[in-house]
Amino acid sequence: MSKADDAKNLIQQAFDKALVAQQPLARKNVERLRRVHSDDTPQELIRRLDRYYLAGITASGGASGAAGAVPGAGIPAALADAMLFTEASVLYTLSLAEVHGTHPEDFERRKLLVLTVLLGDGAVKVLDKTIGRTGPYWARRIVSSIPMSAINKANKVLGPRFITKYGTKQGVLVLSKQVPLGIGAALGAGGNHVFGRLTIKSARAIFGEPPASWAGDDREDEVPFGPASGNSTP
């Protein structure tokens, strides 16, 4: 098996693991954010999630870009960054689902929701063709109204596309990181920031407008974006 295949397998494993591990964390994340920022409307809390998400992935991109300046370290550092980016993006998407009151409990529906956000217009075109219907705001339909046979079919098409797309993007960053320390860090951070902005834009199109007000839940302290590591929020 080639190094490229190994990398794709690791990203796939990180993605599947995040779909399971980040679901309960996303729920707790939103509950805690609501307690700490009790005056936030759903829209305001989403903007807060956007900022945390962008800050987290930009920082990880800068760190891996800096590591890429060390001979022989660039590819492992970039792969680690791709896995962290994947985990953070899953947590971000599932946290948005909580704010919108859309709870993808089934693994395959959760997977399709996240893939659709991360792949954007390309995923929407596949859904239009697979489901046989078009229209905005796919999130609620993915979670509640699309037959499982169609969900599974779409996932089989989109899963490999996700791995290829993000593997290719990360490959571009690997090349950019084989440069002096400061430049590599800037390119790594900048690349992740751009990818994050695209994810946020795609999420807006998939989820639509947030609810105007909260239904009301118990609330706790806030946690950060990224893997379930127990670190404090920036």
Side-chain angles (χ1 to χ4, degrees):
M1 183 178 291
S2 67
K3 289 184 178 180
D5 289 335
D6 287 340
K8 287 182 179 180
N9 285 339
L10 287 171
I11 294 173
Q12 179 69 63
Q13 291 169 18
F15 180 63
D16 290 343
K17 182 179 178 181
L19 287 171
V20 175
Q22 307 290 29
Q23 172 76 347
L25 184 61
R27 185 164 297 162
K28 291 179 181 178
N29 196 32
V30 171
E31 290 173 353
R32 293 169 177 176
L33 282 168
R34 288 185 57 198
R35 178 172 179 174
V36 172
H37 307 285
S38 57
D39 293 333
D40 276 8
T41 65
Q43 186 172 13
E44 288 168 339
L45 193 137
I46 285 175
R47 287 199 291 267
R48 196 178 298 280
L49 293 174
D50 294 346
R51 292 196 298 271
Y52 290 164
Y53 171 58
L54 284 176
I57 61 174
T58 300
S60 72
S64 66
V70 180
I75 292 176
L79 178 58
D81 180 36
M83 295 168 70
L84 287 170
F85 180 89
T86 297
E87 292 179 358
S89 298
V90 171
L91 178 58
Y92 170 72
T93 302
L94 295 179
S95 295
L96 290 181
E98 292 298 321
V99 175
H100 280 265
T102 305
H103 309 291
E105 300 296 345
D106 179 86
F107 178 84
E108 292 298 327
R109 290 185 185 276
R110 191 183 313 150
K111 181 177 182 179
L112 182 56
L113 175 62
V114 176
L115 286 173
T116 302
V117 169
L118 295 184
L119 290 173
D121 290 341
V124 170
K125 290 177 182 178
V126 170
L127 289 174
D128 289 343
K129 183 176 180 180
T130 303
I131 310 303
R133 293 180 296 182
T134 60
Y137 315 143
W138 275 99
R140 193 165 294 279
R141 283 187 285 168
I142 288 171
V143 171
S144 61
S145 64
I146 298 175
M148 278 305 303
S149 58
I151 294 284
N152 291 331
K153 184 177 180 181
N155 277 338
K156 287 181 180 178
V157 174
L158 295 178
R161 289 191 184 186
F162 163 75
I163 300 302
T164 299
K165 178 178 180 179
Y166 279 83
T168 300
K169 282 184 175 181
Q170 198 61 36
V172 174
L173 289 184
V174 168
L175 294 177
S176 74
K177 288 168 183 170
Q178 311 309 309
V179 293
L181 183 62
I183 299 174
L187 290 173
N192 275 11
H193 189 84
V194 169
F195 300 159
R197 287 280 182 195
L198 291 173
T199 299
I200 290 171
K201 181 179 178 180
S202 175
R204 295 288 186 273
I206 301 303
F207 281 100
E209 290 296 320
S213 61
W214 299 105
D217 290 305
D218 294 332
R219 303 168 185 178
E220 308 166 42
D221 287 349
E222 149 185 349
V223 296
F225 260 92
S229 59
N231 294 331
S232 60
T233 303

